[in-house]
Amino acid sequence: MVFGEMVRGHRHRLGITQEELAEAAGLSVRSIGKIEAGKIDIPRPTTVRLLADAIGLTGNERDGFCRAAVGTGRVRAAGGRIPAQLPADIAGFTGREAHLAQLDGLLPSGTDRTTAVVISAIQGSAGIGKTALAVHWAHRVADRFPDGQLYVNLRGFDPRERPIAPAVAVRYFLDALGVPPGQVPACEEAQYGMYRSILASRRMLVILDNARAAEQVRPLIPGSRGCMVVVTSRHSLSGLVATEAAWPMVVDLLSPAEARNLLAARLGRDRVAAQPQAVDEIITRCVGLPLGLVIVAAQAAAHPDFPLAAIAEEL
C-alpha cells in the first residue's frame, strides 16, 4: 500500500479531517494533503513519527507504517553508489581449494530461478582462517557482483569490544549504499526494510564476519535472488541452516602440504626448501593452525639470517 493511502485510511478509520490530523501531529494541513495525494515522495522520518503518534500506532502496526514510508523514493535516494567494502586480500593465501570450489558452486547464476538469497555459513575455531578464506574468495569473485560488496566485522568474539548489533550494522550498510542520514527512517524495522528494498534489484555480495549467533545475522540477510551472503563464525549457526537454508562449511587445520606452502609464500621457497626438517617441526608445533604459522612466519621474516631450526626449537 502507498504511504499516502495508508495515512488516508487511518484518518478515515478515526473519523477525523485533514485539519484535525494536522493539528494532532503538529504538521501543516498542506503537508497532510500532499502526503495523502502522493506528492511527497520521501517523507521525513520526523514527519512519519509524528503521524504515527497522532494516529496512535504501536508495535507491529507502527513498524508496518514506518516501512510503508520507506517507499521506492528512498531506494532512488541511494543514488546508485557501488560500495566496495572488502578488506584487503590476504597476501600469500594458500590452500583451501576444496572450500573455494564449494563457494564457487554456490554462486547465483543469471539463469537461477530461485527466489531465495544464497547463504554460506563458514564455521571454524579461532585462528583457523575463516575470515581469510571469505575475504580471499570474495576478491576472486567480486566481478560476479557488479553492484558491489558489503562487509562488516560483527565482533561476535572480540574480548575488548561488544558485538555489533544488527541495528548498528544496517546503518553502516545504508551509509555505504549512499542513503543520506536525514532520509534513514526512525523505525529500526523500516531501516531493515529500506536495506532490503535497495538490494532487491541488485547483485551484491554481503560478508558478515565473526557473527556470534544467528540472531545477529538474520536482519541483515537481503530477500532477493542474485545476492549472496557469506557468514563466518566460531559457532555452527545451525539456526541459519535450519531456517534460512544456509550451506554449512567447516574450516579445519591446514594439511602439512598447505602449511608448507603458506610458509614458502611468506619466507621464500628457497629458505623453506633448505631446511625441511625445521619446517616440518614448525608445522607440527603449530598443529597446522594458520594463525600460529603466520605468527611464526612473521618472526622468521623479520630475522632472515636466523635459522629456522632455532625457531622450531623455541616452539
Side-chain angles (χ1 to χ4, degrees), residues 130-208:
K130 303 178 297 297
T131 298
L133 170 63
V135 170
H136 177 71
W137 177 80
H139 277 282
R140 289 203 333 172
V141 301
D143 61 332
R144 297 287 297 273
F145 298 93
D147 294 312
Q149 311 89 42
L150 296 171
Y151 171 91
V152 64
N153 180 1
L154 294 171
R155 297 202 304 244
F157 304 91
D158 193 316
R160 296 175 301 276
E161 301 283 349
R162 297 181 62 181
I164 291 181
V168 175
V170 77
R171 293 296 296 267
Y172 291 164
F173 286 167
L174 290 175
D175 181 65
L177 290 164
V179 180
Q183 294 181 13
V184 175
C187 302
E188 184 177 311
E189 284 299 319
Q191 293 172 15
Y192 297 135
M194 172 184 280
Y195 163 71
R196 288 189 290 269
S197 295
I198 294 174
L199 267 59
S201 59
R202 302 189 184 189
R203 292 179 62 86
M204 299 194 72
L205 177 62
V206 182
I207 307 293
L208 305 175

Side-chain angles (χ1 to χ4, degrees), residues 45-115:
T46 302
T47 299
V48 178
R49 189 163 54 247
L50 290 171
L51 283 170
D53 290 341
I55 296 170
L57 300 178
T58 59
N60 292 334
E61 194 174 20
R62 185 185 183 97
D63 291 339
F65 185 79
C66 292
R67 282 196 298 271
V70 172
T72 56
R74 292 191 187 276
V75 176
R76 290 196 296 272
R81 180 186 296 182
I82 299 178
Q85 293 190 311
L86 294 178
D89 198 0
I90 309 302
F93 184 91
T94 186
R96 307 301 192 195
E97 295 301 328
H99 295 88
L100 292 170
Q102 185 177 349
L103 286 167
D104 286 345
L106 296 176
L107 282 169
S109 68
T111 58
D112 192 353
R113 303 176 72 91
T114 181
T115 59

